[in-house]
Amino acid sequence: STTTVAPTTSSSITPTTVDTSPPGNCTTTKCRIGDRGPSGGVVFITPATSGNASGWYFEAKPGDFLYSQPFGCGTTEIPGTGAAIGDGPSNTAKILHFCGANSILANYPSIAIGATWFMPSADELREVFKTLSILKGKTPFKWGEFWTSTVSDAQSMYAANANLTDVVSKRRRTEYDAIVIAAFKPDL
């Protein structure tokens, strides 16, 4: 449903139409933050999100967290990972290629890592922070550090800091939490 809001002055400003319908399931042609995406997650990035040059929608599945896991992969070099919105899928593919079963991604046996679901890049995880209350839903959300798929150096990855306000470099052997996300393109 929509609500039309009248202008507050007598000028010729056009009334604003605000979508007040509750979040629901969306299709690849129209999704809003908070809607249920096609892979069953909660949409938290749209093509209109600031910094999203990918043109994709992103969704996170609140129930698919891993708690207190080392990232793994030792000191294996993972070249060419990015931090931008849209880098998560290629970062995850690189982690799977270079680390395989030696990374945290091997601990997600019930979902299709690398096919549909992937570990967020640093900027994708920053967007997760902005919609934390939507993603929390009825599932307990542990306040703590979360891994990203963005490499810091040969022994470290970027991870969320303890108060979930930014990402910082953390050693791969340290135990932090993990979340996976999915992306889809709008039908044009």
Side-chain angles (χ1 to χ4, degrees), residues 51-181:
N52 182 8
S54 72
W56 300 343
Y57 290 94
F58 291 77
E59 58 184 297
K61 213 167 189 181
D64 283 332
F65 295 129
L66 287 178
Y67 296 110
S68 300
Q69 300 283 316
F71 189 89
C73 201
T75 59
T76 301
E77 191 167 333
I78 309 167
T81 64
I85 294 173
D87 286 340
S90 64
N91 290 352
T92 299
K94 290 172 185 173
I95 292 165
L96 290 170
H97 175 76
F98 289 99
C99 302
N102 294 321
S103 76
I104 193 171
L105 296 175
N107 294 328
Y108 274 108
S110 64
I111 57 177
I113 295 294
T116 301
W117 297 98
F118 55 90
M119 186 170 278
S121 70
D123 287 351
E124 292 161 357
L125 188 63
R126 284 183 179 106
E127 290 300 316
V128 169
F129 304 157
K130 295 177 184 177
T131 56
L132 204 54
S133 62
I134 295 171
L135 292 173
K136 186 174 179 181
K138 296 179 182 177
T139 303
F141 197 97
K142 183 176 179 181
W143 292 88
E145 293 87 355
F146 280 80
W147 289 113
T148 74
S149 61
T150 305
V151 172
S152 172
D153 61 44
Q155 297 181 14
S156 306
M157 302 296 288
Y158 285 101
N161 60 6
N163 58 2
L164 301 177
T165 57
D166 204 358
V167 296
V168 293
S169 180
K170 299 289 184 174
R171 295 284 189 189
R172 292 183 194 167
R173 67 179 179 270
T174 311
E175 293 185 358
Y176 294 121
D177 302 337
I179 184 173
V180 291
I181 63 176

Side-chain angles (χ1 to χ4, degrees), residues 3-92:
T3 301
T4 301
V5 181
T8 56
T9 65
S10 59
S11 68
S12 61
I13 298 173
T14 307
T16 304
T17 301
V18 179
D19 189 347
T20 58
S21 59
N25 293 335
C26 67
T27 66
T28 56
T29 55
K30 183 176 180 175
C31 287
R32 298 173 300 155
I33 290 176
D35 282 349
R36 182 81 41 204
S39 294
V42 177
V43 174
F44 69 98
I45 296 175
T46 70
T49 300
S50 179
N52 182 8
S54 72
W56 300 343
Y57 290 94
F58 291 77
E59 58 184 297
K61 213 167 189 181
D64 283 332
F65 295 129
L66 287 178
Y67 296 110
S68 300
Q69 300 283 316
F71 189 89
C73 201
T75 59
T76 301
E77 191 167 333
I78 309 167
T81 64
I85 294 173
D87 286 340
S90 64
N91 290 352
T92 299

